[in-house]
Amino acid sequence: MIWQGGGLVPGDGTLASELLRVTGFRNLSADYGLKQWDVLPLEYMVAKPPQVLLSVGAHDRSDRMLGHPVLAGLKQQIAVRRYPEKLLHCGGPTIIDAVGHLAQIRRTL
């Protein structure tokens, strides 16, 4: 799951979702009933936590949802990794960097 500040996540049919797929991940957005770009309510994540949460932007308590105390109890279930925001904004040359970054994360899990 790629997670932007406030819970915004890419869904099926997005470039981000396709990059997840080609690097061996599965985007869970559809499992939560989300559309192409949608907000994942914190309650949904708590009820069905993803194995990997790719955090865009803040990686600490400064992200209101990522820093929520209820997520502290899920740290054993969710691997949180950084995902640079610049890798979400362009369908051009950054695709190579995005695939490389995702593949590196995949190898470390």
Side-chain angles (χ1 to χ4, degrees):
M1 176 71 59
I2 296 176
W3 169 282
Q4 288 185 282
L8 186 64
V9 297
D12 285 339
T14 62
L15 176 60
S17 185
E18 180 64 11
L19 295 177
L20 287 170
R21 187 189 66 74
V22 301
T23 54
F25 292 100
R26 187 171 74 83
N27 189 353
L28 295 179
S29 292
D31 292 5
Y32 294 113
L34 304 176
K35 308 297 179 212
Q36 273 198 327
W37 281 96
D38 211 340
V39 174
L40 175 64
L42 186 59
E43 295 82 3
Y44 288 26
M45 189 185 320
V46 171
K48 184 176 183 178
Q51 291 179 348
V52 180
L53 184 69
L54 303 170
S55 175
V56 177
H59 192 68
D60 56 21
R61 292 193 170 274
S62 65
D63 179 311
R64 181 180 64 82
M65 290 178 75
L66 189 59
H68 196 284
V70 74
L71 289 183
L74 297 175
K75 288 190 186 268
Q76 299 297 332
Q77 296 177 38
I78 302 175
V80 179
R81 301 292 188 272
R82 291 182 190 269
Y83 192 80
E85 185 175 1
K86 70 179 183 176
L87 300 181
L88 284 177
H89 296 301
C90 178
T94 59
I95 290 174
I96 296 167
D97 292 338
V99 168
H101 186 73
L102 289 168
Q104 176 62 32
I105 291 171
R106 184 84 173 138
R107 284 190 295 272
T108 65
L109 296 174

mmCIF file of all heavy atoms in Angstrom, residues 1-5 7-11 14-20 27 36-38 54-58 81-99 101-102:
data_model
loop_
_atom_site.group_PDB
_atom_site.id
_atom_site.type_symbol
_atom_site.label_atom_id
_atom_site.label_comp_id
_atom_site.label_asym_id
_atom_site.label_seq_id
_atom_site.Cartn_x
_atom_site.Cartn_y
_atom_site.Cartn_z
ATOM 1 N N MET A 1 0.844 -1.168 0.000
ATOM 2 C CA MET A 1 0.000 0.000 0.000
ATOM 3 C C MET A 1 0.893 1.236 0.000
ATOM 4 O O MET A 1 1.754 1.357 0.866
ATOM 5 C CB MET A 1 -0.888 -0.037 1.241
ATOM 6 C CG MET A 1 -1.772 1.147 1.444
ATOM 7 S SD MET A 1 -3.140 1.278 0.304
ATOM 8 C CE MET A 1 -4.005 -0.232 0.580
ATOM 9 N N ILE A 2 0.708 2.104 -0.992
ATOM 10 C CA ILE A 2 1.392 3.400 -0.993
ATOM 11 C C ILE A 2 0.465 4.380 -0.285
ATOM 12 O O ILE A 2 -0.697 4.516 -0.637
ATOM 13 C CB ILE A 2 1.714 3.870 -2.422
ATOM 14 C CG1 ILE A 2 2.700 2.910 -3.090
ATOM 15 C CG2 ILE A 2 2.287 5.289 -2.391
ATOM 16 C CD1 ILE A 2 3.003 3.238 -4.548
ATOM 17 N N TRP A 3 0.996 5.058 0.716
ATOM 18 C CA TRP A 3 0.201 5.887 1.624
ATOM 19 C C TRP A 3 0.737 7.305 1.625
ATOM 20 O O TRP A 3 1.874 7.542 2.010
ATOM 21 C CB TRP A 3 0.332 5.268 2.998
ATOM 22 C CG TRP A 3 -0.157 6.016 4.176
ATOM 23 C CD1 TRP A 3 0.472 7.056 4.812
ATOM 24 C CD2 TRP A 3 -1.346 5.774 4.902
ATOM 25 N NE1 TRP A 3 -0.242 7.454 5.889
ATOM 26 C CE2 TRP A 3 -1.373 6.677 5.966
ATOM 27 C CE3 TRP A 3 -2.384 4.876 4.760
ATOM 28 C CZ2 TRP A 3 -2.405 6.712 6.894
ATOM 29 C CZ3 TRP A 3 -3.404 4.907 5.680
ATOM 30 C CH2 TRP A 3 -3.411 5.814 6.734
ATOM 31 N N GLN A 4 -0.068 8.258 1.163
ATOM 32 C CA GLN A 4 0.309 9.668 1.227
ATOM 33 C C GLN A 4 -0.323 10.300 2.452
ATOM 34 O O GLN A 4 -1.264 9.745 3.033
ATOM 35 C CB GLN A 4 -0.163 10.405 -0.021
ATOM 36 C CG GLN A 4 0.635 10.042 -1.251
ATOM 37 C CD GLN A 4 0.213 10.885 -2.432
ATOM 38 O OE1 GLN A 4 -0.814 10.632 -3.038
ATOM 39 N NE2 GLN A 4 1.000 11.886 -2.731
ATOM 40 N N GLY A 5 0.176 11.467 2.843
ATOM 41 C CA GLY A 5 -0.357 12.181 3.996
ATOM 42 C C GLY A 5 -1.874 12.249 3.965
ATOM 43 O O GLY A 5 -2.471 12.468 2.919
ATOM 44 N N GLY A 7 -3.846 9.798 4.299
ATOM 45 C CA GLY A 7 -4.430 8.526 3.908
ATOM 46 C C GLY A 7 -4.733 8.360 2.433
ATOM 47 O O GLY A 7 -5.375 7.395 2.037
ATOM 48 N N LEU A 8 -4.284 9.282 1.572
ATOM 49 C CA LEU A 8 -4.522 9.172 0.137
ATOM 50 C C LEU A 8 -3.696 8.023 -0.431
ATOM 51 O O LEU A 8 -2.496 7.923 -0.198
ATOM 52 C CB LEU A 8 -4.146 10.477 -0.569
ATOM 53 C CG LEU A 8 -4.475 10.556 -2.056
ATOM 54 C CD1 LEU A 8 -5.982 10.486 -2.281
ATOM 55 C CD2 LEU A 8 -3.910 11.842 -2.642
ATOM 56 N N VAL A 9 -4.370 7.105 -1.162
ATOM 57 C CA VAL A 9 -3.704 5.937 -1.725
ATOM 58 C C VAL A 9 -4.083 5.767 -3.195
ATOM 59 O O VAL A 9 -5.204 6.070 -3.591
ATOM 60 C CB VAL A 9 -4.046 4.647 -0.947
ATOM 61 C CG1 VAL A 9 -3.563 4.719 0.492
ATOM 62 C CG2 VAL A 9 -5.528 4.350 -0.976
ATOM 63 N N PRO A 10 -3.147 5.264 -4.012
ATOM 64 C CA PRO A 10 -3.474 4.980 -5.405
ATOM 65 C C PRO A 10 -4.185 3.639 -5.515
ATOM 66 O O PRO A 10 -3.837 2.684 -4.835
ATOM 67 C CB PRO A 10 -2.106 4.929 -6.095
ATOM 68 C CG PRO A 10 -1.168 4.501 -5.023
ATOM 69 C CD PRO A 10 -1.725 5.063 -3.732
ATOM 70 N N GLY A 11 -5.173 3.589 -6.385
ATOM 71 C CA GLY A 11 -5.923 2.355 -6.573
ATOM 72 C C GLY A 11 -5.608 1.693 -7.898
ATOM 73 O O GLY A 11 -4.659 2.071 -8.594
ATOM 74 N N THR A 14 -3.922 2.856 -11.763
ATOM 75 C CA THR A 14 -2.953 3.947 -11.655
ATOM 76 C C THR A 14 -1.558 3.419 -11.991
ATOM 77 O O THR A 14 -1.287 2.215 -11.884
ATOM 78 C CB THR A 14 -2.921 4.543 -10.229
ATOM 79 O OG1 THR A 14 -2.518 3.521 -9.312
ATOM 80 C CG2 THR A 14 -4.277 5.106 -9.828
ATOM 81 N N LEU A 15 -0.684 4.324 -12.386
ATOM 82 C CA LEU A 15 0.697 3.942 -12.659
ATOM 83 C C LEU A 15 1.344 3.356 -11.409
ATOM 84 O O LEU A 15 2.047 2.345 -11.477
ATOM 85 C CB LEU A 15 1.497 5.154 -13.157
ATOM 86 C CG LEU A 15 2.986 4.930 -13.391
ATOM 87 C CD1 LEU A 15 3.232 3.845 -14.436
ATOM 88 C CD2 LEU A 15 3.644 6.244 -13.824
ATOM 89 N N ALA A 16 1.088 3.958 -10.268
ATOM 90 C CA ALA A 16 1.670 3.451 -9.014
ATOM 91 C C ALA A 16 1.254 2.009 -8.756
ATOM 92 O O ALA A 16 2.065 1.178 -8.348
ATOM 93 C CB ALA A 16 1.257 4.350 -7.854
ATOM 94 N N SER A 17 0.004 1.687 -9.015
ATOM 95 C CA SER A 17 -0.475 0.326 -8.814
ATOM 96 C C SER A 17 0.221 -0.648 -9.768
ATOM 97 O O SER A 17 0.595 -1.751 -9.378
ATOM 98 C CB SER A 17 -1.992 0.262 -9.014
ATOM 99 O OG SER A 17 -2.482 -1.019 -8.716
ATOM 100 N N GLU A 18 0.406 -0.233 -11.001
ATOM 101 C CA GLU A 18 1.090 -1.082 -11.980
ATOM 102 C C GLU A 18 2.551 -1.297 -11.584
ATOM 103 O O GLU A 18 3.084 -2.398 -11.712
ATOM 104 C CB GLU A 18 1.009 -0.457 -13.376
ATOM 105 C CG GLU A 18 1.684 -1.263 -14.447
ATOM 106 C CD GLU A 18 1.063 -2.642 -14.706
ATOM 107 O OE1 GLU A 18 -0.036 -2.936 -14.210
ATOM 108 O OE2 GLU A 18 1.706 -3.444 -15.405
ATOM 109 N N LEU A 19 3.206 -0.257 -11.075
ATOM 110 C CA LEU A 19 4.597 -0.405 -10.633
ATOM 111 C C LEU A 19 4.697 -1.360 -9.443
ATOM 112 O O LEU A 19 5.644 -2.142 -9.355
ATOM 113 C CB LEU A 19 5.204 0.958 -10.298
ATOM 114 C CG LEU A 19 5.348 1.920 -11.475
ATOM 115 C CD1 LEU A 19 5.885 3.265 -11.000
ATOM 116 C CD2 LEU A 19 6.213 1.344 -12.565
ATOM 117 N N LEU A 20 3.731 -1.303 -8.551
ATOM 118 C CA LEU A 20 3.700 -2.263 -7.444
ATOM 119 C C LEU A 20 3.612 -3.683 -7.996
ATOM 120 O O LEU A 20 4.339 -4.579 -7.570
ATOM 121 C CB LEU A 20 2.506 -1.990 -6.522
ATOM 122 C CG LEU A 20 2.599 -0.771 -5.617
ATOM 123 C CD1 LEU A 20 1.256 -0.497 -4.953
ATOM 124 C CD2 LEU A 20 3.686 -0.954 -4.568
ATOM 125 N N ASN A 27 -1.362 -4.415 -4.831
ATOM 126 C CA ASN A 27 -2.025 -3.236 -4.285
ATOM 127 C C ASN A 27 -3.351 -3.661 -3.653
ATOM 128 O O ASN A 27 -4.191 -4.255 -4.309
ATOM 129 C CB ASN A 27 -2.265 -2.219 -5.411
ATOM 130 C CG ASN A 27 -2.745 -0.883 -4.888
ATOM 131 O OD1 ASN A 27 -3.028 -0.735 -3.708
ATOM 132 N ND2 ASN A 27 -2.832 0.094 -5.765
ATOM 133 N N GLN A 36 -9.661 4.695 -8.003
ATOM 134 C CA GLN A 36 -8.328 4.999 -8.546
ATOM 135 C C GLN A 36 -7.452 5.775 -7.575
ATOM 136 O O GLN A 36 -6.336 5.381 -7.313
ATOM 137 C CB GLN A 36 -8.447 5.754 -9.860
ATOM 138 C CG GLN A 36 -8.568 4.832 -11.025
ATOM 139 C CD GLN A 36 -8.243 5.528 -12.311
ATOM 140 O OE1 GLN A 36 -8.494 6.710 -12.484
ATOM 141 N NE2 GLN A 36 -7.675 4.787 -13.230
ATOM 142 N N TRP A 37 -7.877 6.898 -7.098
ATOM 143 C CA TRP A 37 -7.196 7.628 -6.021
ATOM 144 C C TRP A 37 -8.262 7.878 -4.977
ATOM 145 O O TRP A 37 -9.308 8.454 -5.263
ATOM 146 C CB TRP A 37 -6.604 8.952 -6.515
ATOM 147 C CG TRP A 37 -5.317 8.759 -7.230
ATOM 148 C CD1 TRP A 37 -5.143 8.651 -8.582
ATOM 149 C CD2 TRP A 37 -4.016 8.627 -6.655
ATOM 150 N NE1 TRP A 37 -3.820 8.455 -8.873
ATOM 151 C CE2 TRP A 37 -3.101 8.443 -7.712
ATOM 152 C CE3 TRP A 37 -3.530 8.629 -5.351
ATOM 153 C CZ2 TRP A 37 -1.738 8.274 -7.502
ATOM 154 C CZ3 TRP A 37 -2.178 8.473 -5.142
ATOM 155 C CH2 TRP A 37 -1.297 8.300 -6.215
ATOM 156 N N ASP A 38 -8.016 7.425 -3.774
ATOM 157 C CA ASP A 38 -9.046 7.494 -2.740
ATOM 158 C C ASP A 38 -8.362 7.622 -1.377
ATOM 159 O O ASP A 38 -7.155 7.443 -1.255
ATOM 160 C CB ASP A 38 -9.893 6.218 -2.784
ATOM 161 C CG ASP A 38 -11.335 6.434 -2.360
ATOM 162 O OD1 ASP A 38 -11.630 7.441 -1.682
ATOM 163 O OD2 ASP A 38 -12.170 5.582 -2.709
ATOM 164 N N LEU A 54 4.021 1.812 2.254
ATOM 165 C CA LEU A 54 5.036 2.684 1.670
ATOM 166 C C LEU A 54 4.614 4.122 1.943
ATOM 167 O O LEU A 54 3.666 4.627 1.341
ATOM 168 C CB LEU A 54 5.171 2.409 0.175
ATOM 169 C CG LEU A 54 5.508 0.949 -0.150
ATOM 170 C CD1 LEU A 54 5.379 0.677 -1.629
ATOM 171 C CD2 LEU A 54 6.896 0.601 0.345
ATOM 172 N N SER A 55 5.308 4.769 2.847
ATOM 173 C CA SER A 55 4.944 6.097 3.334
ATOM 174 C C SER A 55 5.542 7.190 2.455
ATOM 175 O O SER A 55 6.756 7.292 2.319
ATOM 176 C CB SER A 55 5.425 6.257 4.768
ATOM 177 O OG SER A 55 5.182 7.558 5.226
ATOM 178 N N VAL A 56 4.667 8.012 1.886
ATOM 179 C CA VAL A 56 5.086 9.153 1.078
ATOM 180 C C VAL A 56 5.096 10.375 1.982
ATOM 181 O O VAL A 56 4.131 10.637 2.685
ATOM 182 C CB VAL A 56 4.113 9.385 -0.104
ATOM 183 C CG1 VAL A 56 4.508 10.617 -0.889
ATOM 184 C CG2 VAL A 56 4.060 8.165 -0.991
ATOM 185 N N GLY A 57 6.178 11.121 1.963
ATOM 186 C CA GLY A 57 6.255 12.318 2.794
ATOM 187 C C GLY A 57 6.722 11.983 4.182
ATOM 188 O O GLY A 57 7.692 11.260 4.379
ATOM 189 N N ALA A 58 5.966 12.458 5.171
ATOM 190 C CA ALA A 58 6.353 12.268 6.569
ATOM 191 C C ALA A 58 6.446 10.790 6.916
ATOM 192 O O ALA A 58 5.656 9.984 6.457
ATOM 193 C CB ALA A 58 5.362 12.954 7.490
ATOM 194 N N ARG A 81 7.923 1.550 5.093
ATOM 195 C CA ARG A 81 9.115 1.985 4.351
ATOM 196 C C ARG A 81 8.831 3.313 3.687
ATOM 197 O O ARG A 81 7.690 3.624 3.344
ATOM 198 C CB ARG A 81 9.493 0.960 3.267
ATOM 199 C CG ARG A 81 9.785 -0.446 3.776
ATOM 200 C CD ARG A 81 11.071 -0.474 4.609
ATOM 201 N NE ARG A 81 11.473 -1.813 4.958
ATOM 202 C CZ ARG A 81 11.078 -2.497 6.020
ATOM 203 N NH1 ARG A 81 10.218 -1.950 6.860
ATOM 204 N NH2 ARG A 81 11.521 -3.712 6.256
ATOM 205 N N ARG A 82 9.873 4.080 3.462
ATOM 206 C CA ARG A 82 9.736 5.373 2.783
ATOM 207 C C ARG A 82 9.522 5.175 1.282
ATOM 208 O O ARG A 82 10.097 4.268 0.688
ATOM 209 C CB ARG A 82 10.990 6.219 2.971
ATOM 210 C CG ARG A 82 11.193 6.695 4.377
ATOM 211 C CD ARG A 82 12.449 7.577 4.449
ATOM 212 N NE ARG A 82 12.789 7.851 5.811
ATOM 213 C CZ ARG A 82 12.349 8.916 6.481
ATOM 214 N NH1 ARG A 82 11.547 9.770 5.897
ATOM 215 N NH2 ARG A 82 12.693 9.104 7.734
ATOM 216 N N TYR A 83 8.695 6.058 0.709
ATOM 217 C CA TYR A 83 8.496 6.089 -0.740
ATOM 218 C C TYR A 83 8.541 7.556 -1.149
ATOM 219 O O TYR A 83 7.636 8.326 -0.797
ATOM 220 C CB TYR A 83 7.153 5.452 -1.127
ATOM 221 C CG TYR A 83 7.048 5.199 -2.603
ATOM 222 C CD1 TYR A 83 7.649 4.090 -3.179
ATOM 223 C CD2 TYR A 83 6.370 6.076 -3.432
ATOM 224 C CE1 TYR A 83 7.567 3.851 -4.537
ATOM 225 C CE2 TYR A 83 6.279 5.847 -4.790
ATOM 226 C CZ TYR A 83 6.885 4.741 -5.339
ATOM 227 O OH TYR A 83 6.808 4.512 -6.686
ATOM 228 N N PRO A 84 9.594 7.974 -1.859
ATOM 229 C CA PRO A 84 9.738 9.391 -2.210
ATOM 230 C C PRO A 84 8.565 9.915 -3.040
ATOM 231 O O PRO A 84 8.144 9.285 -4.009
ATOM 232 C CB PRO A 84 11.034 9.424 -3.021
ATOM 233 C CG PRO A 84 11.782 8.202 -2.603
ATOM 234 C CD PRO A 84 10.730 7.177 -2.307
ATOM 235 N N GLU A 85 8.064 11.061 -2.658
ATOM 236 C CA GLU A 85 6.924 11.673 -3.340
ATOM 237 C C GLU A 85 7.185 11.893 -4.824
ATOM 238 O O GLU A 85 6.291 11.711 -5.647
ATOM 239 C CB GLU A 85 6.576 12.993 -2.660
ATOM 240 C CG GLU A 85 5.334 13.646 -3.217
ATOM 241 C CD GLU A 85 4.942 14.896 -2.454
ATOM 242 O OE1 GLU A 85 5.633 15.285 -1.497
ATOM 243 O OE2 GLU A 85 3.928 15.490 -2.846
ATOM 244 N N LYS A 86 8.412 12.249 -5.175
ATOM 245 C CA LYS A 86 8.723 12.523 -6.576
ATOM 246 C C LYS A 86 8.489 11.308 -7.479
ATOM 247 O O LYS A 86 8.289 11.455 -8.673
ATOM 248 C CB LYS A 86 10.170 13.009 -6.719
ATOM 249 C CG LYS A 86 11.209 11.937 -6.452
ATOM 250 C CD LYS A 86 12.608 12.456 -6.621
ATOM 251 C CE LYS A 86 13.612 11.333 -6.411
ATOM 252 N NZ LYS A 86 14.961 11.770 -6.653
ATOM 253 N N LEU A 87 8.463 10.112 -6.908
ATOM 254 C CA LEU A 87 8.251 8.909 -7.701
ATOM 255 C C LEU A 87 6.787 8.693 -8.070
ATOM 256 O O LEU A 87 6.467 7.818 -8.857
ATOM 257 C CB LEU A 87 8.800 7.686 -6.971
ATOM 258 C CG LEU A 87 10.296 7.720 -6.662
ATOM 259 C CD1 LEU A 87 10.719 6.439 -5.966
ATOM 260 C CD2 LEU A 87 11.121 7.954 -7.918
ATOM 261 N N LEU A 88 5.895 9.512 -7.517
ATOM 262 C CA LEU A 88 4.470 9.404 -7.832
ATOM 263 C C LEU A 88 4.010 10.381 -8.909
ATOM 264 O O LEU A 88 2.920 10.231 -9.433
ATOM 265 C CB LEU A 88 3.628 9.678 -6.578
ATOM 266 C CG LEU A 88 3.551 8.581 -5.550
ATOM 267 C CD1 LEU A 88 2.744 9.067 -4.347
ATOM 268 C CD2 LEU A 88 2.918 7.341 -6.120
ATOM 269 N N HIS A 89 4.817 11.373 -9.233
ATOM 270 C CA HIS A 89 4.318 12.497 -10.019
ATOM 271 C C HIS A 89 4.623 12.489 -11.501
ATOM 272 O O HIS A 89 4.202 13.392 -12.201
ATOM 273 C CB HIS A 89 4.819 13.808 -9.424
ATOM 274 C CG HIS A 89 4.279 14.053 -8.049
ATOM 275 N ND1 HIS A 89 2.941 14.141 -7.766
ATOM 276 C CD2 HIS A 89 4.906 14.181 -6.862
ATOM 277 C CE1 HIS A 89 2.763 14.332 -6.483
ATOM 278 N NE2 HIS A 89 3.941 14.355 -5.904
ATOM 279 N N CYS A 90 5.325 11.530 -12.007
ATOM 280 C CA CYS A 90 5.703 11.593 -13.408
ATOM 281 C C CYS A 90 5.693 10.201 -14.018
ATOM 282 O O CYS A 90 6.196 9.261 -13.428
ATOM 283 C CB CYS A 90 7.090 12.223 -13.546
ATOM 284 S SG CYS A 90 7.676 12.296 -15.231
ATOM 285 N N GLY A 91 5.121 10.106 -15.201
ATOM 286 C CA GLY A 91 5.113 8.837 -15.907
ATOM 287 C C GLY A 91 6.286 8.726 -16.861
ATOM 288 O O GLY A 91 6.273 7.902 -17.753
ATOM 289 N N GLY A 92 7.306 9.534 -16.693
ATOM 290 C CA GLY A 92 8.455 9.525 -17.588
ATOM 291 C C GLY A 92 9.662 8.855 -16.966
ATOM 292 O O GLY A 92 9.587 7.707 -16.503
ATOM 293 N N PRO A 93 10.767 9.572 -16.934
ATOM 294 C CA PRO A 93 12.034 8.984 -16.472
ATOM 295 C C PRO A 93 12.028 8.478 -15.033
ATOM 296 O O PRO A 93 12.812 7.609 -14.695
ATOM 297 C CB PRO A 93 13.034 10.132 -16.607
ATOM 298 C CG PRO A 93 12.400 11.116 -17.503
ATOM 299 C CD PRO A 93 10.918 10.934 -17.400
ATOM 300 N N THR A 94 11.125 8.977 -14.198
ATOM 301 C CA THR A 94 11.120 8.520 -12.804
ATOM 302 C C THR A 94 10.612 7.084 -12.658
ATOM 303 O O THR A 94 10.757 6.491 -11.600
ATOM 304 C CB THR A 94 10.278 9.439 -11.903
ATOM 305 O OG1 THR A 94 8.944 9.466 -12.396
ATOM 306 C CG2 THR A 94 10.853 10.830 -11.834
ATOM 307 N N ILE A 95 10.021 6.537 -13.718
ATOM 308 C CA ILE A 95 9.546 5.150 -13.652
ATOM 309 C C ILE A 95 10.715 4.212 -13.332
ATOM 310 O O ILE A 95 10.577 3.288 -12.529
ATOM 311 C CB ILE A 95 8.854 4.728 -14.958
ATOM 312 C CG1 ILE A 95 7.527 5.473 -15.098
ATOM 313 C CG2 ILE A 95 8.621 3.221 -15.002
ATOM 314 C CD1 ILE A 95 6.821 5.234 -16.413
ATOM 315 N N ILE A 96 11.854 4.470 -13.926
ATOM 316 C CA ILE A 96 13.032 3.627 -13.675
ATOM 317 C C ILE A 96 13.420 3.698 -12.209
ATOM 318 O O ILE A 96 13.671 2.670 -11.568
ATOM 319 C CB ILE A 96 14.200 4.043 -14.593
ATOM 320 C CG1 ILE A 96 13.813 3.797 -16.055
ATOM 321 C CG2 ILE A 96 15.478 3.309 -14.226
ATOM 322 C CD1 ILE A 96 14.729 4.442 -17.057
ATOM 323 N N ASP A 97 13.462 4.910 -11.658
ATOM 324 C CA ASP A 97 13.806 5.073 -10.239
ATOM 325 C C ASP A 97 12.750 4.429 -9.332
ATOM 326 O O ASP A 97 13.086 3.816 -8.318
ATOM 327 C CB ASP A 97 13.940 6.555 -9.885
ATOM 328 C CG ASP A 97 15.137 7.205 -10.542
ATOM 329 O OD1 ASP A 97 16.088 6.485 -10.923
ATOM 330 O OD2 ASP A 97 15.122 8.445 -10.695
ATOM 331 N N ALA A 98 11.476 4.579 -9.710
ATOM 332 C CA ALA A 98 10.398 4.006 -8.893
ATOM 333 C C ALA A 98 10.498 2.481 -8.862
ATOM 334 O O ALA A 98 10.395 1.869 -7.793
ATOM 335 C CB ALA A 98 9.043 4.449 -9.433
ATOM 336 N N VAL A 99 10.719 1.861 -10.014
ATOM 337 C CA VAL A 99 10.847 0.406 -10.072
ATOM 338 C C VAL A 99 12.074 -0.042 -9.277
ATOM 339 O O VAL A 99 12.013 -1.018 -8.524
ATOM 340 C CB VAL A 99 10.904 -0.098 -11.530
ATOM 341 C CG1 VAL A 99 11.336 -1.554 -11.599
ATOM 342 C CG2 VAL A 99 9.552 0.083 -12.205
ATOM 343 N N HIS A 101 13.458 1.493 -6.733
ATOM 344 C CA HIS A 101 13.179 1.699 -5.306
ATOM 345 C C HIS A 101 12.266 0.593 -4.773
ATOM 346 O O HIS A 101 12.526 0.009 -3.704
ATOM 347 C CB HIS A 101 12.548 3.077 -5.097
ATOM 348 C CG HIS A 101 12.363 3.447 -3.675
ATOM 349 N ND1 HIS A 101 13.404 3.806 -2.852
ATOM 350 C CD2 HIS A 101 11.248 3.501 -2.901
ATOM 351 C CE1 HIS A 101 12.942 4.068 -1.638
ATOM 352 N NE2 HIS A 101 11.641 3.888 -1.652
ATOM 353 N N LEU A 102 11.211 0.285 -5.510
ATOM 354 C CA LEU A 102 10.282 -0.781 -5.089
ATOM 355 C C LEU A 102 10.968 -2.129 -5.050
ATOM 356 O O LEU A 102 10.760 -2.927 -4.136
ATOM 357 C CB LEU A 102 9.055 -0.812 -6.003
ATOM 358 C CG LEU A 102 8.092 0.350 -5.851
ATOM 359 C CD1 LEU A 102 7.081 0.370 -7.005
ATOM 360 C CD2 LEU A 102 7.380 0.291 -4.520
#
